[in-house]
């Protein structure tokens, strides 16, 4: 771990272990808030902020937190940060708050954040953890933004609010089925580009799931 | 009564948590491979959703809201849910070992299931009292079960088909989920008409 350069830690989250497209974590917000590009971007930035600070705090507190109650401790730290972000968004971007709705407080249960706390921040130094959080957050934001762009262009015929074409858009892409479909196709595309290597390594990403340790199913491959 | 039925059926069909609101996707994709595990997981989710709503709703309405502590909502709710899941698991282990055997493995997974926290937060946002909140939670849980069971059927058929290499695994599952989700769109506007 120590041999890794700072840059590779940062890039790891964006490309090689992109939390959404390669590890398939945090699927719920990925599909729920990406009906437009700006929503995807907003959600990505909010989650990135939480991720960076939770990684910093947990890494700084790793010697203080007793091993047995670490998951509840992480959850409290994350929930506190999410509350701060939630109120900041409410104060300065109330439109975004309305369109993200319940998914803003639900950042707490986003597997990516707890997963990174458990897998990276609890084992690495503060600076590395901050970089890892930033990389993972940017990877998450990038994936959400891509989903948002595809769904907005196809579903509403606009991009970031600008009208693109005059004929009728395929509005189903804006709705729930479109979310599943675009996400499926994006993962397939990543699979194709990486020749299936990335996904096979961690099918259904159960090993990356924070509850993997508790449920014990990951080893058996049943999850 | 009509109002309750409307809440119940719109939570099951129109506002289906998994297929329309995108909550609880991880267990939906992860545990829907076999019908019996899908049923076990959904039973555990219904159970925890009801318990979580029964606990969080009064706490919000009578403790947090009157004292101006709404900002503690997220922290308090997630802690209650985490503690509740632990408590339920311990109690079931002691007193109802058969039920624990059936639900036990799924319980720890539920703490980080966004559907459970989601239903607690949505109930508060809708301003529901305890009874409508419980009805909504029940509907959300039943809707989760419906989606899981339907999808378990779809997936068992999917195992025999020949998919392109890059679509194998998660991608084709998501595309199938998209079609199942499309069928749920047909329920839009139905429930309001049913109970007029």
């Amino acid at each position: 771990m120590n041999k890794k350069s700072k840059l590779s830690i940062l890039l790891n989250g964006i490309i090689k272990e992109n939390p959404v497209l390669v590890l398939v974590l945090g699927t719920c917000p990925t599909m729920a808030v990406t009906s437009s590009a700006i929503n995807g971007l907003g959600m990505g930035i909010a989650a990135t902020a939480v991720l960076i600070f939770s990684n910093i705090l947990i890494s700084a507190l790793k010697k203080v937190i007793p091993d047995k109650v670490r998951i509840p401790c992480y959850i409290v730290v994350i929930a506190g940060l999410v509350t701060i972000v939630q109120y900041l968004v409410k104060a300065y971007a109330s439109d975004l708050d309305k369109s993200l709705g319940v998914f803003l407080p639900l950042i707490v249960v986003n597997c990516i954040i707890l997963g990174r706390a458990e897998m990276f921040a609890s084992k690495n130094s503060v600076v590395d953890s901050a970089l890892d959080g930033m990389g993972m957050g940017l990877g998450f934001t990038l994936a959400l933004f891509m989903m948002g762009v595809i769904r907005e262009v196809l579903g509403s015929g606009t991009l970031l609010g600008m009208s693109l074409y005059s004929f009728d858009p395929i509005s189903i892409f804006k709705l729930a089925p479109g979310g599943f479909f675009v996400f499926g196709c994006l993962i397939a595309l990543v699979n194709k580009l990486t020749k299936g290597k990335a996904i096979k390594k961690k099918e259904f990403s159960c090993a990356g799931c924070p509850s993997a340790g508790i449920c014990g199913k990951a080893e058996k491959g049943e999850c | 009564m009509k109002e309750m039925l409307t809440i119940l059926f719109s939570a099951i069909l129109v506002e289906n948590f998994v297929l329309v609101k995108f909550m609880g996707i991880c267990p939906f994709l992860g545990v829907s491979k076999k019908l019996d595990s899908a049923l076990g997981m959904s039973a555990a989710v219904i159970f925890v959703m009801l318990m979580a709503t029964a606990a969080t709703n009064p706490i919000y309405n009578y403790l947090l809201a009157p004292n101006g502590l709404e900002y503690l909502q997220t922290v308090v709710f997630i802690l209650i849910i985490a503690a509740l899941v632990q408590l339920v698991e311990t109690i079931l282990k002691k007193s109802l070992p058969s039920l624990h055997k059936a639900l036990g493995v799924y319980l720890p997974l539920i703490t980080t299931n966004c559907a459970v926290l989601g239903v607690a937060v949505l109930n508060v946002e809708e301003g529901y009292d305890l009874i409508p909140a419980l009805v909504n939670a029940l509907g959300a849980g039943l809707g989760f079960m419906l989606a899981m069971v339907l999808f378990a059927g779809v997936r068992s058929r999917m195992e025999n088909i020949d998919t392109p290499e890059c679509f194998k695994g998660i991608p084709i599952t998501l595309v199938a989920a998209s079609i199942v989700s499309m069928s749920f769109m047909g329920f839009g506007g139905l429930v309001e008409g049913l109970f007029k």
Side-chain angles (χ1 to χ4, degrees):
Chain A
M1 227 26 154
N2 291 333
K3 282 173 196 157
K4 271 190 181 173
S5 73
K6 305 284 179 218
L7 187 70
S8 78
I9 293 174
L10 189 67
L11 287 180
N12 187 36
I14 304 178
I15 300 160
K16 212 175 99 207
E17 283 187 24
N18 187 299
V20 181
L21 298 173
V22 179
L23 302 182
V24 202
L25 292 172
T27 42
C28 305
T30 307
M31 289 186 270
V33 301
T34 50
S35 55
S36 75
I38 196 78
N39 285 354
L41 201 61
M43 179 71 193
I45 292 170
T48 306
V50 175
L51 194 49
I52 294 173
F53 287 106
S54 78
N55 262 8
I56 291 177
L57 280 176
I58 285 163
S59 171
L61 294 172
K62 63 177 181 272
K63 287 202 178 110
V64 187
I65 295 174
D67 199 43
K68 273 192 176 167
V69 289
R70 65 182 194 284
I71 300 281
C73 292
Y74 298 164
I75 291 179
V76 175
V77 170
I78 296 167
L81 289 166
V82 167
T83 309
I84 296 171
V85 168
Q86 194 186 344
Y87 276 79
L88 284 174
V89 172
K90 252 186 198 144
Y92 296 107
S94 58
D95 285 347
L96 188 66
D97 178 58
K98 271 183 209 117
S99 48
L100 295 185
V102 69
F103 282 92
L104 209 48
L106 286 186
I107 297 178
V108 182
V109 281
N110 189 324
C111 317
I112 301 172
I113 297 173
L114 200 55
R116 286 330 279 178
E118 169 82 359
M119 295 200 313
F120 198 93
S122 59
K123 296 178 193 118
N124 289 285
S125 73
V126 175
V127 180
D128 284 359
S129 302
L131 283 173
D132 178 72
M134 199 184 290
M136 284 286 161
L138 287 176
F140 183 66
T141 313
L142 184 74
L144 257 66
F145 185 64
M146 269 164 65
M147 285 271 298
V149 167
I150 295 171
R151 287 180 69 188
E152 198 184 335
V153 168
L154 291 174
S156 345
T158 58
L159 182 59
L160 298 168
M162 286 179 298
S163 187
L164 286 184
Y165 47 83
S166 55
F167 51 90
D168 282 344
I170 321 164
S171 56
I172 191 119
F173 277 100
K174 215 169 46 185
L175 302 169
F180 282 109
F181 184 73
V182 172
F183 192 37
C185 291
L186 265 183
I187 297 178
L189 184 71
V190 171
N191 260 357
K192 182 93 188 161
L193 294 178
T194 56
K195 298 187 185 69
K197 274 180 215 154
I199 274 312
K200 261 178 201 148
K201 204 170 52 189
K202 295 186 176 176
E203 202 190 356
F204 274 111
S205 68
C206 211
C209 165
S211 27
I214 325 166
C215 87
K217 281 198 146 191
E219 294 90 54
K220 294 180 227 154
E222 287 173 30
C223 192
Chain B
M1 194 61 208
K2 263 183 196 167
E3 205 182 317
M4 295 299 142
L5 282 174
T6 314
I7 294 177
L8 182 69
F9 279 94
S10 37
I12 299 178
L13 297 174
V14 185
E15 303 273 286
N16 188 291
F17 256 55
V18 180
L19 294 169
V20 179
K21 283 194 180 156
F22 296 115
M23 284 181 200
I25 301 285
C26 305
F28 176 67
L29 295 178
V31 200
S32 63
K33 266 183 195 154
K34 286 191 210 105
L35 188 61
D36 50 345
S37 56
L39 276 173
M41 180 74 187
S42 354
V45 166
I46 294 179
F47 190 60
V48 174
M49 267 183 177
L50 284 173
M51 298 286 288
T53 308
T56 52
N57 211 60
I59 286 183
Y60 185 84
N61 283 341
Y62 300 111
L63 193 69
L64 297 184
N67 295 316
L69 294 172
E70 285 96 341
Y71 61 89
L72 283 177
Q73 183 195 332
T74 314
V75 183
V76 169
F77 279 18
I78 189 74
L79 280 179
I80 290 175
I81 291 169
L84 202 69
V85 171
Q86 281 296 319
L87 192 73
V88 166
E89 211 199 347
T90 319
I91 292 174
L92 281 185
K93 213 177 201 170
K94 283 270 178 205
S95 53
L96 291 165
S98 56
L99 190 62
H100 179 259
K101 222 178 171 185
L103 302 185
V105 283
Y106 305 108
L107 280 173
L109 279 174
I110 293 173
T111 317
T112 48
N113 181 345
C114 57
V116 176
L117 183 62
V119 82
V121 174
L122 279 176
N123 278 331
V124 164
E125 274 180 10
E126 294 279 337
Y128 285 150
D129 281 334
L130 186 58
I131 300 294
L134 284 174
V135 172
N136 191 25
L138 180 67
L142 287 175
F144 183 81
M145 181 180 253
L146 181 66
M148 289 283 274
V149 169
L150 282 178
F151 201 58
V154 173
R155 278 186 85 163
S156 67
R157 298 298 291 266
M158 249 162 52
E159 270 169 20
N160 303 323
I161 52 165
D162 188 23
T163 36
E165 193 57 45
C166 61
F167 266 97
K168 270 186 184 143
I170 305 168
I172 193 70
T173 314
L174 284 165
V175 174
S178 151
I179 295 166
V180 177
S181 157
M182 211 184 286
S183 71
F184 268 73
M185 283 176 63
F187 292 117
L190 181 88
V191 172
E192 289 82 353
L194 263 184
F195 299 106
K196 246 175 203 166

